[in-house]
Amino acid sequence: MTSQSTPLEYQSQQTRMNILGFWTFLGAEIVLFSTLFASYFILEHNTAGGPTGQDVFVLKDVLIETFLLLTSSFTSGLAIHALRNNDLKGVLIWKIITLVLGASFLAYEINEFFHYVHEGVTMQTSGFASALFTLLGTHGAHVTFGIIWIALLLVQVARRGITVQTSSKLFIASLYWHFLDVVWIFIFTFVYLKGMVM
Amino acid sequence: MSFDEFFVTGDPLILGSQIAIGLTMVGVIVLVTYLKKWKWLWNEWFTTVDHKKIGIMYILAGVLMFFRGGVDGLLMKAQTSRPGLDILDAQHYDEVFTTHGVIMILFMAMPMLIGIMNVVIPLQIGARDVAFPKLNAFSFWVFFAGAMLFNISFVIGGSPDAGWTSYFPLAGKEFTPGVGNNYYAIALQIAGIGTLATGVNFIVTIIKMRAPGMSWMKLPIFVWTTFITSIIIVAAFPILTIALLLMTLDRLFGAHFFTVAAGGDPMLWLNLFWLWGHPEVYIVVLPAFGMFSEVIATFARKNLYGYKSMVYAVAGIAFLSMLVWVHHFYTMGNSAAVNSIFSLTTMMIAIPTGVKIFNWLFTMRKGRIEFSNAMLWSLAFIPCFTIGGVTGVMLAMAAADYQYHNTMFLVAHFHYVLIPGVVFAVFAGLYYWWPKMFGFKLNEKIGKWHFWLFVIGFNLTFMPMFFVGLDGMSRRMYTYAESTGWGPWLGFSAVGSVIMAAGFAALCYNIYWSFRYASRDVGNDPWNGRTLEWSTASPAPHYNFAVVPKVEKLDDFWYKKKKGDTGLKKKDLKPVHMPSNSWTPIFLAAAFGIVGFFLVFEWFTLAIISGILIVIGLIANSFDYDDGYHVSVEELEEEEREWRGDLQ
């Protein structure tokens, strides 16, 4: 048996393997996003006479998105803290706040896409536009998947309480959520800031 | 879309195939219904999470795909056997070489190797299953869905025809407007999900599930090669995922990643494809090296020479495999400096590979070599593969490559690498581990026919291609003029391919014959093996080991045998925890297949509607808290007594 101080989600062989497996999968996700970033950097300036990043990026909206997603990562961390304290109510409250922040982020991002289309930047405009939409869209799709996933896990936690299984599932979903945050920081820096300055 | 846009029509060869496929499908369904086997199929195979059964299904699928890819190969050989023949037209020839390449690499080599890994790895590390048994079943079924989707292309909608590398701009909508290349993008994507999951699964299995005492340097070498292969899979397959995603967006949604006119860059495809594609070569070759090492050590009756250097060599190859991709397109506009760097990294791969060749030779030195079939394949591998390796170094020289690039010389080279390196290994592995899978050996005498026909046929087929290649024949030519003088060479080559096909037929006959007549009395250790899989019954019981073995050294079982310490004590038996069957993997795979099919035809509404099936499958899977079941001590005792006689 593992000692008392071992977190609940690490207390069975299977959940330990699940967590290691998920870290490995995140390794694959890093390669996946790196490939998208590399493709974006290759095509960044190939606007084929269409609008450039500088023309269409809106700093205010991007900052709000960044603020929403980073805060959601923090509240997700608070939920795991509550999980460690075996505080079911805390887990549910902080995770629901996380989901609300995540959904607001998505709403802003969808709004941002509408803005781009309005400015004449669509998937079909240029190499730059295709790469931009694909990078942002893949991240956005991940966030969407994460929201649905965590919502369903909350149903399971509410029904079954905090157990070895449910806690490991929530922990894994939180790793995923933090990872999406990290990706966003790179997007914020290398797509938006770089795009507006350079 | 009209009927003859949907079904491929107008070619008697394809019409024949369509009828044959239809009849076979009806025949199989009638037969299974008549024998009342549906329930058995569902319970024992379709929903199984047992790594051994999943492995066997992978191998079966691999053999089927080998047949399909082989027929493609024979068609090409028939078409080029003489100058100016008209068996296939240019379009049909394009389709055939494209599907041949994709099928042989992704739907034959990969499942064969992953199948053998599945059967063997848990047994070699003394585990009862892989880390994620349900994910493992999912891996198989999505691979299978991808393979089937790819295969129906030649009767429904038309096959991809831009080469297995599908370079842009040719593979784009402008130059390849049909649905053929959609099949390429989507079927490979679906199968790739399964491969990535397999990589994750084996990494965790090998890190977390080794028997007590089996530290890293006591791992069987095949486990090492599988571990490192899995790392390459996790590092390289996401690149293919993205490359195929971008291809799909270009073809289906009019994006401009690879189209020059709107600021896209076709070289981006080449770089991404080979960033995955070159590591992929090592993904298929490294586990094969592991299998040869096991077979050679067993049949030379010696421990593997230079075990540690073998491990470091494999790790070194894996590292270098990520740094050589540009050598696939030296001639396509790189600077001299770039070419030189990639030329050097490519040549460096010959160093660890050379280490391995010498290790195998020294393992055999002064050994009492037993020329079993598995060993024969390993012996034939060394010289044949070395030819492939040496011509590889020739191709690695960027300046010289301007002569060889995209010629038959290159085609001969990679067949000399992949056939000895992968196919011979798969054959060696099948003969070697067959008794562990099925409880009987394959016939050695028919096996000799298989061996000699295949090896002679292989050399006759591909050796002439080096010469026509040096003479300037480029690859993918569907015909040539008599004045080129290539006719006799390619005639020989065609004869060779028929001999090779006869070898494959001998293997199929061997499987049939052995199923019916071979002795079932092979014991647990028919080859006097060294590793843990031979310490349990043949075929291995579903729980693998009644008691998890304790390991003290490398080749622990070999030394335990010498000490006579392989018995089982009754008091050590405890109930064994096993995972339950699950319907979600096959359901999800079917859902992926259906969505994929609609995407191929760009029927987006249907694709979105059937996408709900995937969501349902994922949710059902998430809400499934089934914790498996326990095998009772009584059942263990009964099963173990059956082959051990009395327990201690």
Side-chain angles (χ1 to χ4, degrees):
Chain A
M1 253 345 269
T2 37
S3 74
Q4 278 289 307
S5 62
T6 308
L8 200 56
E9 67 271 15
Y10 280 99
Q11 283 186 10
S12 89
Q13 166 79 356
Q14 188 62 49
T15 56
R16 282 196 295 271
M17 292 199 295
N18 291 353
I19 293 168
L20 178 65
F22 199 78
W23 276 111
T24 315
F25 172 72
L26 285 184
E29 287 272 58
I30 290 174
V31 179
L32 189 121
F33 277 101
S34 308
T35 312
L36 280 174
F37 274 106
S39 307
Y40 176 78
F41 294 150
I42 298 282
L43 301 174
E44 199 176 4
H45 303 291
N46 300 7
T47 51
T52 64
Q54 225 157 5
D55 297 339
V56 292
F57 293 155
V58 182
L59 187 60
K60 193 186 105 208
D61 292 358
V62 177
L63 275 174
I64 293 173
E65 283 168 40
T66 309
F67 175 75
L68 287 170
L69 203 63
L70 259 60
T71 313
S72 83
S73 208
F74 178 64
T75 56
S76 175
L78 290 178
I80 296 301
H81 184 67
L83 187 77
R84 294 275 165 84
N85 290 335
N86 206 18
D87 170 12
L88 178 62
K89 216 171 129 198
V91 171
L92 292 177
I93 289 171
W94 286 119
K95 276 289 175 194
I96 288 169
I97 294 175
T98 307
L99 293 183
V100 171
L101 290 169
S104 323
F105 165 85
L106 263 187
Y108 262 92
E109 187 163 58
I110 292 167
N111 184 45
E112 184 193 334
F113 281 14
F114 275 112
H115 165 71
Y116 293 158
V117 174
H118 186 74
E119 298 281 313
V121 182
T122 68
M123 194 81 175
Q124 293 80 20
T125 309
S126 63
F128 155 72
S130 299
L132 178 73
F133 277 109
T134 307
L135 177 55
L136 296 179
T138 309
H139 179 265
H142 274 72
V143 173
T144 313
F145 180 84
I147 290 173
I148 298 168
W149 181 19
I150 293 174
L152 289 169
L153 288 187
L154 289 186
V155 175
Q156 296 173 24
V157 179
R159 271 207 213 150
R160 292 168 178 270
I162 297 175
T163 67
V164 176
Q165 274 82 24
T166 53
S167 66
S168 77
K169 286 184 171 200
L170 266 187
F171 182 74
I172 286 170
S174 301
L175 289 180
Y176 178 80
W177 197 260
H178 291 310
F179 170 75
L180 295 182
D181 219 46
V182 174
V183 173
W184 181 260
I185 290 171
F186 279 87
I187 292 179
F188 179 70
T189 315
F190 292 107
V191 175
Y192 294 113
L193 291 187
K194 187 172 166 249
M196 278 182 278
V197 176
M198 292 164 82
Chain B
M1 174 174 276
S2 66
F3 175 79
D4 62 335
E5 276 178 88
F6 187 68
F7 281 108
V8 179
T9 51
D11 184 317
L13 271 175
I14 290 180
L15 183 66
S17 312
Q18 280 165 333
I19 294 168
I21 291 172
L23 288 179
T24 314
M25 270 166 47
V26 172
V28 169
I29 291 170
V30 168
L31 189 71
V32 175
T33 312
Y34 176 75
L35 295 172
K36 298 197 171 74
K37 288 287 188 191
W38 282 113
K39 210 174 160 193
W40 173 81
L41 266 181
W42 180 258
N43 288 331
E44 296 292 320
W45 295 96
F46 290 171
T47 60
T48 189
V49 292
D50 182 337
H51 68 98
K52 300 175 288 296
K53 286 184 178 167
I54 291 169
I56 288 168
M57 290 194 288
Y58 262 119
I59 293 167
L60 191 64
V63 172
L64 282 176
M65 290 297 109
F66 198 0
F67 179 76
R68 161 75 213 270
V71 171
D72 285 345
L74 287 173
L75 282 172
M76 282 188 277
K77 283 285 125 191
Q79 165 62 24
T80 54
S81 60
R82 300 193 40 69
L85 281 184
D86 212 11
I87 302 170
L88 303 174
D89 56 28
Q91 171 60 24
H92 201 170
Y93 191 81
D94 289 353
E95 293 176 10
V96 166
F97 71 64
T98 302
T99 54
H100 172 78
V102 173
I103 285 175
M104 284 305 205
I105 290 278
L106 287 155
F107 299 133
M108 188 283 285
M110 292 292 281
M112 286 280 207
L113 292 166
I114 292 178
I116 295 177
M117 283 183 202
N118 254 298
V119 172
V120 176
I121 294 300
L123 288 167
Q124 279 197 334
I125 61 173
R128 265 139 190 173
D129 209 315
V130 291
F132 313 116
K134 212 156 64 165
L135 184 68
N136 198 23
F138 173 75
S139 289
F140 169 73
W141 288 111
V142 279
F143 145 74
F144 191 71
M148 289 302 110
L149 187 61
F150 190 82
N151 269 277
I152 58 167
S153 67
F154 90 110
V155 288
I156 298 176
S159 290
D161 55 1
W164 88 279
T165 50
S166 281
Y167 283 173
F168 279 81
L170 175 62
K173 200 91 176 174
E174 190 185 349
F175 299 104
T176 311
V179 298
N181 261 49
N182 294 355
Y183 271 110
Y184 176 96
I186 292 177
L188 264 58
Q189 189 70 284
I190 291 173
I193 299 169
T195 312
L196 180 61
T198 300
V200 173
N201 214 335
F202 277 101
I203 287 177
V204 178
T205 305
I206 294 169
I207 291 179
K208 290 279 192 186
M209 295 178 79
R210 285 168 286 139
M214 188 180 270
S215 55
W216 286 99
M217 282 299 157
K218 291 172 193 156
L219 279 182
I221 195 76
F222 180 43
V223 179
W224 258 117
T225 56
T226 300
F227 182 64
I228 290 171
T229 301
S230 305
I231 294 175
I232 311 181
I233 287 177
V234 171
F237 261 78
I239 306 174
L240 177 70
T241 306
I242 292 301
L244 292 172
L245 171 72
L246 305 189
M247 176 189 255
T248 309
L249 292 173
D250 261 17
R251 290 188 56 89
L252 269 57
F253 301 99
H256 295 293
F257 288 100
F258 309 123
T259 33
V260 185
D265 188 346
M267 286 309 287
L268 178 61
W269 168 262
L270 262 82
N271 277 280
L272 293 182
F273 182 85
W274 286 114
L275 263 163
W276 159 78
H278 200 86
E280 165 67 16
V281 175
Y282 291 93
I283 290 170
V284 292
V285 139
L286 290 182
F289 285 172
M291 288 192 234
F292 285 128
S293 304
E294 299 286 353
V295 168
I296 288 173
T298 300
F299 292 105
R301 307 266 171 262
K302 282 177 68 193
N303 53 354
L304 187 65
Y305 182 90
Y307 168 85
K308 277 191 184 170
S309 64
M310 211 63 148
V311 173
Y312 296 135
V314 174
I317 293 174
F319 177 71
L320 288 173
S321 77
M322 306 278 175
L323 304 174
V324 298
W325 78 94
V326 171
H327 72 210
H328 294 275
F329 42 90
Y330 283 139
T331 58
M332 297 161 103
N334 310 305
S335 69
V338 167
N339 273 359
S340 310
I341 290 166
F342 282 92
S343 198
L344 277 176
T345 53
T346 305
M347 282 187 239
M348 264 153 68
I349 287 197
I351 299 168
T353 315
V355 169
K356 299 177 76 66
I357 300 270
F358 282 110
N359 279 341
W360 289 316
L361 294 177
F362 283 128
T363 305
M364 287 188 276
R365 183 171 173 266
K366 291 196 175 174
R368 283 196 304 279
I369 295 177
E370 185 189 327
F371 292 94
S372 68
N373 271 317
M375 187 64 170
L376 282 179
W377 286 107
S378 313
L379 291 173
F381 151 74
I382 296 176
C384 293
F385 184 80
T386 306
I387 295 174
V390 169
T391 49
V393 177
M394 291 170 69
L395 284 155
M397 291 180 270
D401 187 59
Y402 279 77
Q403 175 67 26
Y404 315 133
H405 184 79
N406 265 358
T407 63
M408 291 301 258
F409 186 84
L410 167 83
V411 177
H413 153 73
F414 68 67
H415 282 88
Y416 258 91
V417 172
L418 288 171
I419 293 180
V422 179
V423 179
F424 286 14
V426 166
F427 290 149
L430 284 182
Y431 279 95
Y432 185 59
W433 281 299
W434 195 271
K436 198 47 71 185
M437 288 188 253
F438 297 105
F440 61 89
K441 288 182 186 180
L442 287 175
N443 183 286
E444 289 278 310
K445 211 169 175 178
I446 306 171
K448 296 272 185 312
W449 278 98
H450 168 211
F451 173 76
W452 287 111
L453 285 170
F454 200 92
V455 172
I456 291 170
F458 157 70
N459 280 292
L460 259 180
T461 308
F462 295 103
M463 192 57 86
M465 285 156 75
F466 280 123
F467 299 109
V468 290
L470 285 179
D471 200 35
M473 180 178 184
S474 68
R475 72 195 292 199
R476 295 167 174 172
M477 286 173 66
Y478 88 106
T479 193
Y480 51 95
E482 196 170 357
S483 57
T484 56
W486 299 330
W489 289 111
L490 293 172
F492 265 120
S493 177
V495 173
S497 69
V498 174
I499 299 174
M500 198 158 58
F504 180 73
L507 171 69
C508 295
Y509 177 68
N510 197 355
I511 293 174
Y512 163 78
W513 189 94
S514 307
F515 250 110
R516 292 204 62 172
Y517 306 113
S519 159
R520 260 55 181 174
D521 183 25
V522 290
N524 62 312
D525 184 19
W527 312 113
N528 198 2
R530 314 178 70 82
T531 38
L532 286 177
E533 73 268 35
W534 306 109
S535 69
T536 192
S538 309
H542 64 108
Y543 51 80
N544 287 1
F545 300 96
V547 172
V548 172
K550 286 196 175 46
V551 175
E552 281 156 20
K553 50 179 104 178
L554 183 62
D555 293 340
D556 199 63
F557 178 59
W558 175 261
Y559 294 102
K560 286 233 170 80
K561 270 195 293 191
K562 280 192 173 168
K563 283 199 296 189
D565 183 19
T566 56
L568 184 70
K569 296 194 183 70
K570 204 166 139 187
K571 66 172 170 52
D572 291 344
L573 290 178
K574 288 195 188 76
V576 172
H577 179 250
M578 297 298 293
S580 308
N581 285 2
S582 173
W583 58 272
T584 46
I586 190 171
F587 176 83
L588 272 171
F592 272 104
I594 293 167
V595 174
F597 182 78
F598 290 142
L599 281 181
V600 165
F601 283 90
E602 301 175 28
W603 297 339
F604 296 118
T605 319
L606 286 169
I608 291 168
I609 293 169
S610 48
I612 295 169
L613 290 175
I614 298 180
V615 179
I616 291 173
L618 287 174
I619 293 177
N621 196 53
S622 180
F623 278 76
D624 174 18
Y625 275 75
D626 187 315
D627 195 30
Y629 65 98
H630 283 84
V631 184
S632 68
V633 172
E634 290 74 38
E635 190 186 335
L636 290 176
E637 217 183 300
E638 193 182 324
E639 289 230 17
E640 291 295 310
R641 261 183 216 288
E642 209 171 293
W643 67 276
R644 285 175 189 269
D646 264 344
L647 305 183
Q648 287 170 334

